């Protein structure tokens, strides 16, 4: 089933891996990935993801995600399905009430967004880079409890 969260994640991947300058190009790219939606739905998705347009060095305007450094644009993008199927999570390590999650390049922001938007009571918040997520764990929550809670959100994370 093609859920909204899947669609948003695919949209993030498309924007971070291709230089697209209009909604028609985005709609076509989404359709290639099996998502058929209206321009109005795409506009709402872009607003929710806080997508903006930015000028390239060649003077073209393309869609970019907020804080483009978190979604590093890859110069040789792979197939979106392959990127989605490959697990982004690599590892998690703790020190006190802090955790560091290592991901594959370009995955940290999406995983951090999923953690933050899931309102996990054991987690206060995250800060994401390209391949690293800093996680603050609520005081009194053990590492095993935090890992178990995060494993409900992060694909391929075992607890």
């Amino acid at each position: 089933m093609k859920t909204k969260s899947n669609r948003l994640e695919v949209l993030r991947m498309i924007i971070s891996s291709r230089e697209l300058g209009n909604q028609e190009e985005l709609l076509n790219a989404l359709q290639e990935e099996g998502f058929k939606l209206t321009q109005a739905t795409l506009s709402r998705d872009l607003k929710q993801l806080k997508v903006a347009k930015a000028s390239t060095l060649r003077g073209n305007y393309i869609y970019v995600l907020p804080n483009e450094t978190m979604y590093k644009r890859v110069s040789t993008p792979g197939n979106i399905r392959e990127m989605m199927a490959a697990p982004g999570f690599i590892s998690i390590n703790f020190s006190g009430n802090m955790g560091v999650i290592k991901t594959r390049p370009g995955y940290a922001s999406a995983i951090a967004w999923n953690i933050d938007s899931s309102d996990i009571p054991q987690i206060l918040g995250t800060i994401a880079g390209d391949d690293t997520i800093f996680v603050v764990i609520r005081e009194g929550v053990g590492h095993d409890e935090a890992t178990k809670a995060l494993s409900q959100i992060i694909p391929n994370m075992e607890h």
Side-chain angles (χ1 to χ4, degrees):
M1 185 166 105
K2 304 280 186 186
T3 64
K4 181 178 180 179
S5 63
N6 288 20
R7 183 178 73 237
L8 292 175
E9 185 61 21
V10 168
L11 184 55
R12 281 188 201 94
M13 292 288 198
I14 289 170
I15 291 169
S16 67
S17 65
R18 295 164 70 174
E19 291 189 358
L20 302 175
N22 63 52
Q23 289 191 2
E24 186 177 338
E25 292 173 342
L26 279 175
L27 285 169
N28 289 337
L30 284 164
Q31 190 164 352
E32 289 172 13
E33 299 302 326
F35 295 91
K36 186 162 178 58
L37 55 145
T38 65
Q39 183 273 328
T41 300
L42 177 59
S43 289
R44 286 189 293 272
D45 288 353
L46 293 173
K47 184 176 181 177
Q48 180 177 343
L49 294 175
K50 296 179 175 60
V51 171
K53 277 198 163 182
S55 178
T56 66
L57 294 175
R58 294 184 302 277
N60 301 327
Y61 283 88
I62 60 167
Y63 289 105
V64 293
L65 294 159
N67 193 351
E68 185 62 41
T69 60
M70 293 194 304
Y71 275 87
K72 185 179 276 185
R73 188 172 299 282
V74 292
S75 55
T76 54
N79 177 299
I80 298 293
R81 275 192 198 90
E82 291 170 7
M83 290 176 12
M84 291 293 292
F89 172 82
I90 294 175
S91 67
I92 185 167
N93 289 292
F94 297 98
S95 177
N97 73 326
M98 299 174 291
V100 175
I101 297 174
K102 290 292 193 178
T103 71
R104 292 184 36 211
Y107 281 77
S109 183
I111 292 172
W113 184 85
N114 286 337
I115 293 168
D116 291 338
S117 65
S118 296
D119 293 324
I120 303 169
Q122 296 89 340
I123 306 298
L124 291 177
T126 66
I127 300 172
D130 180 49
D131 61 0
T132 305
I133 304 167
F134 175 74
V135 181
V136 178
I137 302 160
R138 189 173 302 281
E139 199 166 327
V141 173
H143 298 165
D144 288 340
E145 183 182 352
T147 302
K148 184 176 181 180
L150 288 166
S151 72
Q152 303 302 307
I153 306 303
I154 303 172
N156 304 314
M157 180 177 175
E158 299 172 5
H159 60 277

